[in-house]
Amino acid sequence: MALITEQLRQQSRLGPGDEDWLHLLVGDWQLVADLAFADLVLWFPTGDGSYVALAHVRPSTAHTAFHTDFVGERIRKDLRIMVDRAWDTGQLQRSVEQPFDLVGQSTVQAVPLVRQGRKVAVITTHFDLASSRTASNLELVYRQSAEDLLLMGTRGLWPDFASPTGSRRGAPRVGDGFIRLNAGGVVEYASPNAVSAFRRLGAAEVLQGQSLSDVTMALVSDRRVIDETLPLVLQGKMPWRTEIEYMGVNISLRAIPLRDEKQRWGALVLCRDVTELRRREKELVTKDATIREIHHRVKNNLQTVAALLRMQSRRMNSAEGKQGLEQAMRRVATIASVHEFLSKGLNETVKFDDLMDRQFRLIVEIASPGQRVETVREGQFGMLPAELATPLSLVINELATNAVEHGLAGRDGRVQLVAQRFAKNRQDWLRVSISDDGHGMPTEAVNEGLGLQIVRTLVTSELRGEILWTQVNGQGTEVVIEMPLELRKSAL
């Protein structure tokens, strides 16, 4: 199913809201196709006496009449006769005398869509006679309901802009449960699936002849809070969607009023038992809340560990021991920052740019007491999974601290952090560089400290990336890290 919007926008005959109305129709006409057991094709005039197919939908309740799609194709001459007649008269046309031989044996209807007195387009319905059989009561009610909706389309009364367009899971479909009401809200017909859905709420086996609103409200009368839209949907007065939750059972409902220009003379109500769907959704919400709470507690515990290390460092007499505890405290605080960000979201991903906006400047300030060090951050990290965010934040922490303590070595200067995403071997990669304008790399060999050992270990084993130290224009040092973003795939 598709809709060629460019064809619509090139036509000046469309009035205000007509294009949106056609989009609304195509978004909801699966309902009509299922009720009519027929394919539906939307034809739009081309301006040269012909028509082009803008959309095509097949029924989910019967075999399709066509295995090919008509979207973008011009109408055939034999079908155009009926479509022209529907367009000229503004009335529904049927192939009554003989089957319409478009592809195989099928009966066809041409339904002009008229909105506010303007002819907008034509729908043709194609019912495959090869799959026809003696019609059951359900099929007769379905087809009559489809024709009622199509006739409303000839008056611009369906689809209604007040109809629900949300994408909440569990929206009812024709096959899930179908109820037809009269003007008073009394059930004229209820499909077996609809009866089963209401039986789960505690209703009687027979709905026909009863007021759907009275039956339902009697079942849920002891609820303290009732959706105010529920009676209007149950009586078919408004084209809305609502949901009943009672005794552990969830029923999703949608009403489609049947009316003409003067009055409402009936309604269709679709219903669906979404109990298991809502139960799984609640489980997911509970799991998400539990995961967030775990991250929150881990963050608090790590902050407690950092505070204990800070207290211990104050009692140390050895300068080397005090420095070692302070570095351990800083590393623990970095991991805690990642868990803090994870505790605020529903996914196991981190907005790493937000983390670095706060953390990078803080790292440099802690490492440079008494110095004036400018921090520059460029590029975008994007969203990173937690298994990458934690080691990468530790690596940036160590490298930024190393740039201040050893690169600048007590003097004023600048530390820059640049992030860039790129493609490599058909895979997304991230390049991170940290540079300073300090003394540059030492000429003699120097033993790596614990910080650089941590960096190499994390980059190679955790991030599965590569790291390179280079001299920057004879002054300053740049460390470049390249790592794949699809960690799980690269680890296989």
Side-chain angles (χ1 to χ4, degrees):
M1 183 177 66
L3 187 68
I4 305 176
T5 56
E6 192 62 30
Q7 292 276 358
L8 298 177
R9 292 171 182 168
Q10 291 176 356
Q11 297 297 326
S12 59
R13 65 167 57 94
L14 289 179
D18 288 351
E19 181 181 341
D20 293 334
W21 188 65
L22 287 176
H23 279 283
L24 185 63
L25 180 142
V26 171
D28 202 26
W29 69 345
Q30 182 69 57
L31 164 69
V32 180
D34 291 342
L35 289 172
F37 302 94
D39 287 57
L40 271 60
V41 183
L42 179 65
W43 301 98
F44 193 73
T46 59
D48 59 358
S50 184
Y51 302 84
V52 63
L54 296 188
H56 177 197
V57 63
R58 297 175 174 86
S60 60
T61 52
H63 295 295
T64 179
F66 310 111
H67 295 284
T68 58
D69 200 287
F70 296 119
V71 175
E73 296 185 6
R74 283 178 171 259
I75 195 168
R76 286 179 50 163
K77 291 182 179 180
D78 47 2
L79 180 60
R80 194 177 72 187
I81 297 173
M82 178 181 290
V83 173
D84 277 335
R85 194 182 307 128
W87 181 270
D88 294 337
T89 62
Q91 297 179 353
L92 186 147
Q93 303 294 319
R94 297 182 178 90
S95 57
V96 179
E97 298 179 356
Q98 60 182 3
F100 201 95
D101 189 15
L102 184 62
V103 176
Q105 295 291 311
S106 63
T107 58
V108 181
Q109 291 186 125
V111 183
L113 299 176
V114 182
R115 182 172 179 269
Q116 296 180 355
R118 295 185 300 270
K119 299 171 185 176
V120 179
V122 177
I123 289 178
T124 55
T125 69
H126 305 262
F127 177 72
D128 186 10
L129 290 175
S131 61
S132 65
R133 59 187 183 278
T134 302
S136 63
N137 188 31
L138 179 144
E139 292 181 13
L140 293 174
V141 175
Y142 273 21
R143 291 178 189 173
Q144 181 59 52
S145 300
E147 185 161 329
D148 291 337
L149 291 175
L150 291 173
L151 286 173
M152 287 173 60
T154 65
R155 301 182 177 99
L157 302 176
W158 181 85
D160 193 320
F161 276 108
S163 300
T165 57
S167 58
R168 189 185 184 195
R169 296 176 64 198
R173 301 157 298 189
V174 170
D176 297 322
F178 175 85
I179 300 173
R180 186 177 173 110
L181 308 177
N182 64 15
V186 176
V187 177
E188 293 182 337
Y189 176 82
S191 70
N193 284 344
V195 174
S196 297
F198 275 84
R199 282 200 64 189
R200 291 203 64 184
L201 286 175
E205 293 186 8
V206 179
L207 290 178
Q208 192 167 339
Q210 301 189 62
S211 169
L212 184 64
S213 178
D214 292 346
V215 169
T216 307
M217 300 308 292
L219 295 173
V220 298
S221 59
D222 61 336
R223 291 187 57 187
R224 295 183 180 179
V225 179
I226 295 179
D227 185 358
E228 294 181 356
T229 65
L230 181 58
L232 297 176
V233 172
L234 292 171
Q235 296 172 35
K237 291 183 177 181
M238 296 301 296
W240 294 341
R241 185 186 302 163
T242 188
E243 192 165 308
I244 307 170
E245 181 181 0
Y246 180 65
M247 299 293 290
V249 178
N250 294 74
I251 304 296
S252 177
L253 297 166
R254 180 195 171 185
I256 305 103
L258 300 175
R259 59 191 179 94
D260 53 27
E261 294 86 346
K262 298 180 180 179
Q263 62 182 355
R264 180 182 60 84
W265 46 268
L268 310 178
V269 177
L270 305 181
C271 60
R272 179 180 179 183
D273 186 342
V274 292
T275 305
E276 291 304 312
L277 181 61
R278 297 293 178 255
R279 183 184 63 82
R280 290 194 295 268
E281 288 177 348
K282 289 179 180 179
E283 288 180 353
L284 289 175
V285 170
T286 302
K287 289 179 181 178
D288 288 336
T290 302
I291 291 172
R292 291 199 302 272
E293 179 62 23
I294 290 173
H295 284 303
H296 181 71
R297 294 188 181 187
V298 169
K299 182 262 297 183
N300 289 343
N301 291 338
L302 290 174
Q303 288 178 339
T304 301
V305 172
L308 292 173
L309 292 173
R310 185 182 299 107
M311 293 173 59
Q312 187 65 38
S313 68
R314 292 171 181 170
R315 295 175 178 268
M316 293 289 294
N317 295 323
S318 168
E320 183 178 355
K322 182 178 292 188
Q323 182 182 16
L325 287 176
E326 289 177 350
Q327 290 176 348
M329 176 190 69
R330 188 180 67 246
R331 291 162 185 150
V332 171
T334 299
I335 300 174
S337 297
V338 177
H339 283 281
E340 181 180 4
F341 271 79
L342 288 170
S343 68
K344 295 178 180 178
L346 294 175
N347 301 318
E348 285 291 288
T349 55
V350 179
K351 291 183 179 179
F352 205 77
D353 293 286
D354 293 345
L355 178 62
M356 282 297 106
D357 286 339
R358 185 180 70 177
Q359 187 174 337
F360 181 56
R361 178 61 187 170
L362 184 61
I363 293 170
V364 173
E365 287 180 353
I366 294 175
S368 59
Q371 298 173 243
R372 296 182 59 184
V373 180
E374 177 188 3
T375 56
V376 178
R377 200 179 79 77
E378 298 178 355
Q380 297 292 323
F381 288 91
M383 299 294 295
L384 295 183
E387 58 264 33
L388 293 181
T390 300
L392 181 59
S393 61
L394 280 172
V395 168
I396 293 175
N397 186 350
E398 297 297 334
L399 293 177
T401 301
N402 187 72
V404 173
E405 294 180 350
H406 302 286
L408 299 179
R411 75 176 194 178
D412 298 343
R414 184 180 74 167
V415 178
Q416 184 176 25
L417 172 64
V418 180
Q420 179 186 5
R421 289 186 177 231
F422 66 100
K424 180 179 180 181
N425 298 328
R426 296 182 179 180
Q427 192 177 17
D428 291 332
W429 280 59
L430 177 66
R431 180 183 294 112
V432 180
S433 68
I434 299 177
S435 59
D436 62 74
D437 57 354
H439 301 286
M441 299 177 63
T443 56
E444 67 279 3
V446 179
N447 292 330
E448 285 188 352
L450 177 60
L452 294 184
Q453 291 179 15
I454 292 175
V455 168
R456 287 191 182 276
T457 300
L458 291 175
V459 171
T460 56
S461 62
E462 297 293 328
L463 301 177
R464 298 189 178 273
E466 305 166 355
I467 185 169
L468 177 66
W469 275 267
T470 59
Q471 192 86 6
V472 180
N473 298 327
Q475 182 180 9
T477 306
E478 181 182 26
V479 184
V480 179
I481 301 168
E482 292 186 353
M483 49 180 278
L485 291 177
E486 299 178 10
L487 184 62
R488 292 188 180 92
K489 290 184 179 180
S490 62
L492 294 179

